[in-house]
Amino acid sequence: MSYDITLCPRDAGQSWEDALAAADAEDSGREADEQALTEGVETFRRIETRLREVLSGELETWVAEETGGDVYGELTAPRTGIQVELFDGSAAVSLGEREPGEEPSEDSGPDRAQVLEEARRAVGIVAAETGYQPFDHQTEEPFDGTFREGAPGAEPAEATAGQTGIARPSAAEIARRDPASLRRRGWVYLVLGVAITVFAANRLASGESGVLTIMLLVIGILDLLGGLFLLSVGRRAAEDERIRLGGPGESGSGPDAAGTTPG
């Protein structure tokens, strides 16, 4: 199970249901806005800098490098199970919840009190940097700085659809599996591969056959192969998504797919 806190803008008198729905609404205009991406990444970097002062253990981070998604950055502390994500219009802090009767072991990392204190401070940092208000999904009330583990209504991460949880794929993984992102990365690799391969070939043609030239040639060929692979994976992912959403796929063409009989 996981304990989830969502942070989002909330106007005076606005219900949390409306505030969370507004934060979760897709905004394709901002997703394609380079300035919004730059500002979002800058905010995440400020959050990351402050989190490194309060979270224990090694930290893993990921930041968006291109437009087309609503995830600006993600930070995970494997030792404590704390995860922080910044989205376009909201943020989330989550941590794995201790199971009933579970006792800490010598190699389990910080004690639970320290983990909860670090998570509480993480929520405060994200709120301060974004101006968002925190909402506790376990109590369905504004987060007051207290983690009420085992609270009535707490559900496994798989059951809290649309909210951040340790059990679901990370934002970075979701972004990397996006068909459009895969295609863009594929074309980047292809262009780099062509440029490096041509450069290396010109060096070979001029008689420069040293180690550097061979390395450049190998890198160029690998980039070409990687680009072709990503384009292929992107096409398959797009086809799978069309099938999942019920749209026509490549296998959906033809007379039988339309429900008619020839003749």
Side-chain angles (χ1 to χ4, degrees), residues 149-204:
E149 296 188 288
E155 300 178 353
E158 294 84 353
T160 56
Q163 304 301 334
T164 302
I166 299 298
R168 67 171 176 78
S170 69
E173 292 169 337
I174 293 172
R176 292 187 186 112
R177 291 201 301 254
D178 178 64
S181 177
L182 287 168
R183 288 194 295 270
R184 285 193 295 270
R185 289 161 56 203
W187 281 112
V188 168
Y189 275 107
L190 276 179
V191 171
L192 286 175
V194 169
I196 295 173
T197 302
V198 169
F199 179 70
N202 288 335
R203 287 175 62 93
L204 281 174

Short mmCIF file of all heavy atoms in Angstrom, two decimals, residues 149-204:
data_model
loop_
_atom_site.label_atom_id
_atom_site.label_comp_id
_atom_site.label_asym_id
_atom_site.label_seq_id
_atom_site.Cartn_x
_atom_site.Cartn_y
_atom_site.Cartn_z
N GLU A 149 -1.40 6.61 9.14
CA GLU A 149 -1.31 5.30 8.51
C GLU A 149 -2.36 4.36 9.07
O GLU A 149 -2.64 4.36 10.28
CB GLU A 149 0.08 4.71 8.71
CG GLU A 149 1.15 5.53 8.03
CD GLU A 149 2.50 4.86 8.05
OE1 GLU A 149 3.10 4.79 9.12
OE2 GLU A 149 2.93 4.38 6.98
N GLY A 150 -2.95 3.58 8.16
CA GLY A 150 -4.01 2.67 8.58
C GLY A 150 -5.34 3.37 8.76
O GLY A 150 -6.26 2.81 9.36
N ALA A 151 -5.46 4.63 8.25
CA ALA A 151 -6.71 5.36 8.40
C ALA A 151 -7.82 4.68 7.63
O ALA A 151 -7.59 4.07 6.58
CB ALA A 151 -6.53 6.79 7.88
N PRO A 152 -9.07 4.74 8.11
CA PRO A 152 -10.20 4.14 7.39
C PRO A 152 -10.29 4.72 5.98
O PRO A 152 -10.12 5.92 5.78
CB PRO A 152 -11.41 4.55 8.24
CG PRO A 152 -10.85 4.81 9.60
CD PRO A 152 -9.48 5.36 9.37
N GLY A 153 -10.54 3.87 5.04
CA GLY A 153 -10.67 4.31 3.65
C GLY A 153 -9.39 4.23 2.86
O GLY A 153 -9.39 4.42 1.66
N ALA A 154 -8.27 3.96 3.54
CA ALA A 154 -7.01 3.82 2.80
C ALA A 154 -7.07 2.58 1.94
O ALA A 154 -7.49 1.52 2.38
CB ALA A 154 -5.85 3.71 3.79
N GLU A 155 -6.67 2.71 0.69
CA GLU A 155 -6.77 1.62 -0.26
C GLU A 155 -5.41 1.30 -0.83
O GLU A 155 -4.50 2.13 -0.81
CB GLU A 155 -7.73 2.00 -1.41
CG GLU A 155 -9.14 2.31 -0.92
CD GLU A 155 -10.02 2.73 -2.08
OE1 GLU A 155 -9.47 2.90 -3.19
OE2 GLU A 155 -11.23 2.88 -1.88
N PRO A 156 -5.24 0.09 -1.38
CA PRO A 156 -3.99 -0.24 -2.05
C PRO A 156 -3.74 0.73 -3.19
O PRO A 156 -4.68 1.30 -3.76
CB PRO A 156 -4.23 -1.68 -2.55
CG PRO A 156 -5.32 -2.21 -1.70
CD PRO A 156 -6.18 -1.04 -1.35
N ALA A 157 -2.46 0.88 -3.56
CA ALA A 157 -2.11 1.83 -4.61
C ALA A 157 -2.83 1.52 -5.90
O ALA A 157 -3.22 2.41 -6.65
CB ALA A 157 -0.60 1.81 -4.83
N GLU A 158 -3.06 0.21 -6.20
CA GLU A 158 -3.69 -0.14 -7.46
C GLU A 158 -5.12 0.36 -7.52
O GLU A 158 -5.68 0.56 -8.60
CB GLU A 158 -3.69 -1.67 -7.66
CG GLU A 158 -2.32 -2.28 -7.81
CD GLU A 158 -1.67 -2.56 -6.48
OE1 GLU A 158 -2.22 -2.17 -5.45
OE2 GLU A 158 -0.59 -3.20 -6.47
N ALA A 159 -5.76 0.58 -6.36
CA ALA A 159 -7.16 0.98 -6.35
C ALA A 159 -7.34 2.48 -6.43
O ALA A 159 -8.44 2.96 -6.66
CB ALA A 159 -7.84 0.46 -5.09
N THR A 160 -6.29 3.27 -6.19
CA THR A 160 -6.42 4.71 -6.23
C THR A 160 -6.07 5.22 -7.61
O THR A 160 -5.05 5.83 -7.84
CB THR A 160 -5.50 5.36 -5.18
OG1 THR A 160 -4.15 4.90 -5.42
CG2 THR A 160 -5.90 4.97 -3.77
N ALA A 161 -6.95 4.95 -8.56
CA ALA A 161 -6.70 5.29 -9.95
C ALA A 161 -6.53 6.79 -10.10
O ALA A 161 -7.28 7.59 -9.54
CB ALA A 161 -7.87 4.82 -10.82
N GLY A 162 -5.53 7.18 -10.90
CA GLY A 162 -5.27 8.58 -11.18
C GLY A 162 -4.40 9.27 -10.15
O GLY A 162 -4.05 10.41 -10.31
N GLN A 163 -4.08 8.58 -9.03
CA GLN A 163 -3.25 9.19 -8.01
C GLN A 163 -1.89 8.52 -7.99
O GLN A 163 -1.72 7.39 -8.41
CB GLN A 163 -3.92 9.07 -6.63
CG GLN A 163 -5.32 9.65 -6.59
CD GLN A 163 -5.32 11.12 -6.96
OE1 GLN A 163 -4.33 11.80 -6.78
NE2 GLN A 163 -6.43 11.60 -7.48
N THR A 164 -0.90 9.23 -7.41
CA THR A 164 0.45 8.71 -7.38
C THR A 164 0.54 7.56 -6.40
O THR A 164 0.08 7.64 -5.29
CB THR A 164 1.42 9.81 -6.94
OG1 THR A 164 1.31 10.88 -7.86
CG2 THR A 164 2.85 9.32 -6.94
N GLY A 165 1.22 6.45 -6.80
CA GLY A 165 1.42 5.31 -5.92
C GLY A 165 2.68 4.59 -6.29
O GLY A 165 3.10 4.58 -7.44
N ILE A 166 3.31 3.94 -5.33
CA ILE A 166 4.56 3.25 -5.59
C ILE A 166 4.35 2.09 -6.56
O ILE A 166 5.21 1.75 -7.34
CB ILE A 166 5.13 2.72 -4.26
CG1 ILE A 166 5.41 3.90 -3.30
CG2 ILE A 166 6.40 1.92 -4.48
CD1 ILE A 166 6.42 4.87 -3.82
N ALA A 167 3.14 1.49 -6.56
CA ALA A 167 2.94 0.28 -7.34
C ALA A 167 2.77 0.54 -8.82
O ALA A 167 2.95 -0.35 -9.63
CB ALA A 167 1.70 -0.48 -6.81
N ARG A 168 2.38 1.78 -9.20
CA ARG A 168 2.15 2.02 -10.62
C ARG A 168 3.45 2.41 -11.32
O ARG A 168 4.42 2.77 -10.67
CB ARG A 168 1.10 3.12 -10.81
CG ARG A 168 1.56 4.48 -10.35
CD ARG A 168 0.54 5.52 -10.77
NE ARG A 168 0.88 6.84 -10.28
CZ ARG A 168 1.80 7.62 -10.81
NH1 ARG A 168 2.55 7.18 -11.82
NH2 ARG A 168 2.03 8.81 -10.33
N PRO A 169 3.49 2.37 -12.64
CA PRO A 169 4.69 2.78 -13.35
C PRO A 169 5.03 4.22 -13.04
O PRO A 169 4.15 5.05 -12.85
CB PRO A 169 4.30 2.61 -14.84
CG PRO A 169 3.18 1.64 -14.82
CD PRO A 169 2.44 1.88 -13.54
N SER A 170 6.31 4.53 -13.00
CA SER A 170 6.73 5.88 -12.69
C SER A 170 6.43 6.81 -13.85
O SER A 170 6.21 6.40 -14.98
CB SER A 170 8.24 5.91 -12.39
OG SER A 170 8.96 5.65 -13.58
N ALA A 171 6.44 8.11 -13.58
CA ALA A 171 6.19 9.09 -14.61
C ALA A 171 7.23 9.00 -15.71
O ALA A 171 6.93 9.17 -16.89
CB ALA A 171 6.21 10.49 -14.01
N ALA A 172 8.47 8.77 -15.32
CA ALA A 172 9.52 8.65 -16.32
C ALA A 172 9.27 7.48 -17.25
O ALA A 172 9.43 7.59 -18.47
CB ALA A 172 10.88 8.47 -15.64
N GLU A 173 8.85 6.36 -16.68
CA GLU A 173 8.59 5.18 -17.51
C GLU A 173 7.42 5.43 -18.44
O GLU A 173 7.43 5.04 -19.61
CB GLU A 173 8.31 3.97 -16.62
CG GLU A 173 9.51 3.50 -15.85
CD GLU A 173 9.15 2.48 -14.78
OE1 GLU A 173 7.99 2.47 -14.34
OE2 GLU A 173 10.04 1.71 -14.40
N ILE A 174 6.36 6.10 -17.93
CA ILE A 174 5.21 6.40 -18.77
C ILE A 174 5.61 7.31 -19.92
O ILE A 174 5.22 7.11 -21.07
CB ILE A 174 4.10 7.06 -17.93
CG1 ILE A 174 3.55 6.04 -16.92
CG2 ILE A 174 2.98 7.58 -18.81
CD1 ILE A 174 2.59 6.65 -15.93
N ALA A 175 6.41 8.34 -19.62
CA ALA A 175 6.83 9.26 -20.67
C ALA A 175 7.67 8.56 -21.72
O ALA A 175 7.54 8.82 -22.91
CB ALA A 175 7.62 10.42 -20.06
N ARG A 176 8.56 7.65 -21.27
CA ARG A 176 9.43 6.97 -22.22
C ARG A 176 8.66 6.00 -23.11
O ARG A 176 9.11 5.65 -24.19
CB ARG A 176 10.52 6.23 -21.46
CG ARG A 176 11.51 7.16 -20.76
CD ARG A 176 12.66 6.39 -20.15
NE ARG A 176 13.51 7.27 -19.38
CZ ARG A 176 13.64 7.22 -18.06
NH1 ARG A 176 12.98 6.30 -17.38
NH2 ARG A 176 14.42 8.05 -17.42
N ARG A 177 7.49 5.51 -22.64
CA ARG A 177 6.71 4.57 -23.44
C ARG A 177 5.72 5.26 -24.36
O ARG A 177 5.03 4.60 -25.14
CB ARG A 177 5.96 3.60 -22.51
CG ARG A 177 6.86 2.63 -21.78
CD ARG A 177 6.07 1.44 -21.31
NE ARG A 177 4.99 1.83 -20.43
CZ ARG A 177 4.99 1.62 -19.12
NH1 ARG A 177 6.03 1.07 -18.55
NH2 ARG A 177 3.96 1.98 -18.38
N ASP A 178 5.60 6.59 -24.27
CA ASP A 178 4.66 7.32 -25.10
C ASP A 178 5.05 7.19 -26.57
O ASP A 178 6.21 7.45 -26.92
CB ASP A 178 4.66 8.80 -24.68
CG ASP A 178 3.73 9.62 -25.55
OD1 ASP A 178 2.52 9.38 -25.51
OD2 ASP A 178 4.24 10.49 -26.29
N PRO A 179 4.10 6.80 -27.45
CA PRO A 179 4.46 6.59 -28.87
C PRO A 179 5.09 7.82 -29.52
O PRO A 179 6.06 7.69 -30.26
CB PRO A 179 3.10 6.24 -29.51
CG PRO A 179 2.29 5.65 -28.40
CD PRO A 179 2.71 6.41 -27.17
N ALA A 180 4.52 9.01 -29.25
CA ALA A 180 5.06 10.22 -29.87
C ALA A 180 6.49 10.47 -29.39
O ALA A 180 7.37 10.85 -30.17
CB ALA A 180 4.18 11.43 -29.55
N SER A 181 6.73 10.25 -28.10
CA SER A 181 8.08 10.44 -27.56
C SER A 181 9.06 9.44 -28.17
O SER A 181 10.19 9.79 -28.51
CB SER A 181 8.07 10.29 -26.04
OG SER A 181 9.37 10.39 -25.51
N LEU A 182 8.62 8.20 -28.33
CA LEU A 182 9.48 7.18 -28.94
C LEU A 182 9.85 7.56 -30.37
O LEU A 182 11.00 7.41 -30.79
CB LEU A 182 8.77 5.83 -28.92
CG LEU A 182 8.65 5.14 -27.55
CD1 LEU A 182 7.68 3.97 -27.64
CD2 LEU A 182 10.01 4.65 -27.09
N ARG A 183 8.85 8.06 -31.12
CA ARG A 183 9.14 8.45 -32.51
C ARG A 183 10.11 9.62 -32.57
O ARG A 183 11.03 9.64 -33.40
CB ARG A 183 7.83 8.79 -33.23
CG ARG A 183 6.96 7.58 -33.54
CD ARG A 183 5.87 7.92 -34.53
NE ARG A 183 4.93 8.88 -33.97
CZ ARG A 183 3.83 8.54 -33.31
NH1 ARG A 183 3.56 7.27 -33.11
NH2 ARG A 183 3.01 9.46 -32.85
N ARG A 184 9.89 10.62 -31.69
CA ARG A 184 10.80 11.77 -31.70
C ARG A 184 12.23 11.35 -31.38
O ARG A 184 13.18 11.78 -32.03
CB ARG A 184 10.31 12.83 -30.69
CG ARG A 184 9.12 13.63 -31.14
CD ARG A 184 8.92 14.84 -30.25
NE ARG A 184 8.57 14.46 -28.89
CZ ARG A 184 7.32 14.29 -28.46
NH1 ARG A 184 6.31 14.47 -29.29
NH2 ARG A 184 7.08 13.96 -27.21
N ARG A 185 12.36 10.50 -30.35
CA ARG A 185 13.70 10.04 -29.99
C ARG A 185 14.31 9.21 -31.11
O ARG A 185 15.52 9.27 -31.37
CB ARG A 185 13.63 9.24 -28.69
CG ARG A 185 13.35 10.10 -27.47
CD ARG A 185 12.84 9.28 -26.31
NE ARG A 185 13.76 8.22 -25.95
CZ ARG A 185 13.41 7.12 -25.30
NH1 ARG A 185 12.15 6.91 -24.98
NH2 ARG A 185 14.30 6.20 -24.99
N GLY A 186 13.46 8.43 -31.81
CA GLY A 186 13.95 7.64 -32.92
C GLY A 186 14.53 8.51 -34.03
O GLY A 186 15.61 8.22 -34.56
N TRP A 187 13.81 9.59 -34.36
CA TRP A 187 14.31 10.48 -35.42
C TRP A 187 15.58 11.21 -34.99
O TRP A 187 16.47 11.44 -35.80
CB TRP A 187 13.22 11.49 -35.81
CG TRP A 187 12.18 10.91 -36.71
CD1 TRP A 187 10.88 10.66 -36.44
CD2 TRP A 187 12.40 10.47 -38.06
NE1 TRP A 187 10.24 10.09 -37.51
CE2 TRP A 187 11.15 9.97 -38.53
CE3 TRP A 187 13.49 10.45 -38.91
CZ2 TRP A 187 10.99 9.45 -39.80
CZ3 TRP A 187 13.34 9.93 -40.19
CH2 TRP A 187 12.11 9.45 -40.63
N VAL A 188 15.66 11.56 -33.70
CA VAL A 188 16.88 12.21 -33.21
C VAL A 188 18.08 11.28 -33.39
O VAL A 188 19.15 11.68 -33.86
CB VAL A 188 16.72 12.61 -31.73
CG1 VAL A 188 18.08 13.02 -31.13
CG2 VAL A 188 15.73 13.75 -31.58
N TYR A 189 17.90 10.00 -32.99
CA TYR A 189 18.99 9.04 -33.14
C TYR A 189 19.35 8.84 -34.62
O TYR A 189 20.53 8.71 -34.97
CB TYR A 189 18.61 7.70 -32.51
CG TYR A 189 18.86 7.62 -31.04
CD1 TYR A 189 17.81 7.66 -30.12
CD2 TYR A 189 20.16 7.52 -30.54
CE1 TYR A 189 18.06 7.59 -28.76
CE2 TYR A 189 20.40 7.45 -29.18
CZ TYR A 189 19.34 7.49 -28.29
OH TYR A 189 19.58 7.42 -26.96
N LEU A 190 18.32 8.80 -35.47
CA LEU A 190 18.60 8.61 -36.91
C LEU A 190 19.41 9.77 -37.47
O LEU A 190 20.39 9.56 -38.20
CB LEU A 190 17.28 8.47 -37.67
CG LEU A 190 16.65 7.09 -37.71
CD1 LEU A 190 15.34 7.12 -38.49
CD2 LEU A 190 17.59 6.07 -38.35
N VAL A 191 19.01 10.99 -37.15
CA VAL A 191 19.73 12.17 -37.66
C VAL A 191 21.17 12.17 -37.15
O VAL A 191 22.12 12.40 -37.92
CB VAL A 191 19.00 13.45 -37.24
CG1 VAL A 191 19.84 14.68 -37.57
CG2 VAL A 191 17.65 13.55 -37.94
N LEU A 192 21.34 11.91 -35.85
CA LEU A 192 22.70 11.85 -35.31
C LEU A 192 23.50 10.74 -35.96
O LEU A 192 24.69 10.90 -36.28
CB LEU A 192 22.64 11.63 -33.79
CG LEU A 192 22.21 12.83 -32.94
CD1 LEU A 192 22.07 12.43 -31.49
CD2 LEU A 192 23.20 13.98 -33.08
N GLY A 193 22.85 9.59 -36.13
CA GLY A 193 23.55 8.45 -36.73
C GLY A 193 24.02 8.75 -38.14
O GLY A 193 25.16 8.41 -38.51
N VAL A 194 23.16 9.39 -38.94
CA VAL A 194 23.54 9.74 -40.31
C VAL A 194 24.71 10.72 -40.30
O VAL A 194 25.70 10.56 -41.04
CB VAL A 194 22.34 10.34 -41.07
CG1 VAL A 194 22.79 10.94 -42.40
CG2 VAL A 194 21.28 9.27 -41.32
N ALA A 195 24.60 11.76 -39.44
CA ALA A 195 25.66 12.78 -39.41
C ALA A 195 27.00 12.18 -38.98
O ALA A 195 28.04 12.45 -39.60
CB ALA A 195 25.24 13.90 -38.45
N ILE A 196 26.98 11.36 -37.94
CA ILE A 196 28.24 10.79 -37.45
C ILE A 196 28.81 9.79 -38.44
O ILE A 196 30.03 9.73 -38.68
CB ILE A 196 28.01 10.11 -36.08
CG1 ILE A 196 27.63 11.17 -35.04
CG2 ILE A 196 29.25 9.36 -35.62
CD1 ILE A 196 27.22 10.59 -33.70
N THR A 197 27.94 8.98 -39.06
CA THR A 197 28.40 7.98 -40.03
C THR A 197 29.02 8.65 -41.25
O THR A 197 30.08 8.23 -41.74
CB THR A 197 27.24 7.07 -40.46
OG1 THR A 197 26.69 6.43 -39.30
CG2 THR A 197 27.72 6.01 -41.43
N VAL A 198 28.38 9.71 -41.76
CA VAL A 198 28.92 10.44 -42.92
C VAL A 198 30.26 11.06 -42.57
O VAL A 198 31.22 11.01 -43.36
CB VAL A 198 27.91 11.51 -43.38
CG1 VAL A 198 28.56 12.44 -44.41
CG2 VAL A 198 26.67 10.85 -43.98
N PHE A 199 30.35 11.64 -41.36
CA PHE A 199 31.61 12.26 -40.93
C PHE A 199 32.72 11.22 -40.86
O PHE A 199 33.85 11.45 -41.33
CB PHE A 199 31.41 12.93 -39.58
CG PHE A 199 32.65 13.58 -39.04
CD1 PHE A 199 33.18 14.72 -39.62
CD2 PHE A 199 33.31 13.03 -37.94
CE1 PHE A 199 34.33 15.31 -39.12
CE2 PHE A 199 34.45 13.62 -37.44
CZ PHE A 199 34.97 14.76 -38.03
N ALA A 200 32.39 10.05 -40.27
CA ALA A 200 33.40 9.00 -40.15
C ALA A 200 33.79 8.45 -41.53
O ALA A 200 34.96 8.15 -41.78
CB ALA A 200 32.85 7.86 -39.28
N ALA A 201 32.81 8.34 -42.42
CA ALA A 201 33.11 7.84 -43.77
C ALA A 201 34.03 8.80 -44.52
O ALA A 201 34.94 8.37 -45.25
CB ALA A 201 31.81 7.64 -44.54
N ASN A 202 33.81 10.09 -44.33
CA ASN A 202 34.69 11.09 -44.98
C ASN A 202 36.12 10.99 -44.45
O ASN A 202 37.09 11.14 -45.19
CB ASN A 202 34.15 12.50 -44.75
CG ASN A 202 32.90 12.77 -45.56
OD1 ASN A 202 32.69 12.15 -46.61
ND2 ASN A 202 32.07 13.70 -45.10
N ARG A 203 36.25 10.72 -43.14
CA ARG A 203 37.59 10.55 -42.57
C ARG A 203 38.26 9.32 -43.16
O ARG A 203 39.47 9.34 -43.47
CB ARG A 203 37.49 10.42 -41.05
CG ARG A 203 37.16 11.73 -40.32
CD ARG A 203 36.97 11.49 -38.83
NE ARG A 203 38.17 10.97 -38.21
CZ ARG A 203 39.10 11.73 -37.62
NH1 ARG A 203 38.96 13.04 -37.62
NH2 ARG A 203 40.17 11.18 -37.05
N LEU A 204 37.50 8.24 -43.31
CA LEU A 204 38.06 7.03 -43.92
C LEU A 204 38.49 7.29 -45.36
O LEU A 204 39.55 6.83 -45.80
CB LEU A 204 37.03 5.90 -43.87
CG LEU A 204 36.87 5.15 -42.55
CD1 LEU A 204 35.72 4.15 -42.64
CD2 LEU A 204 38.16 4.42 -42.18
#
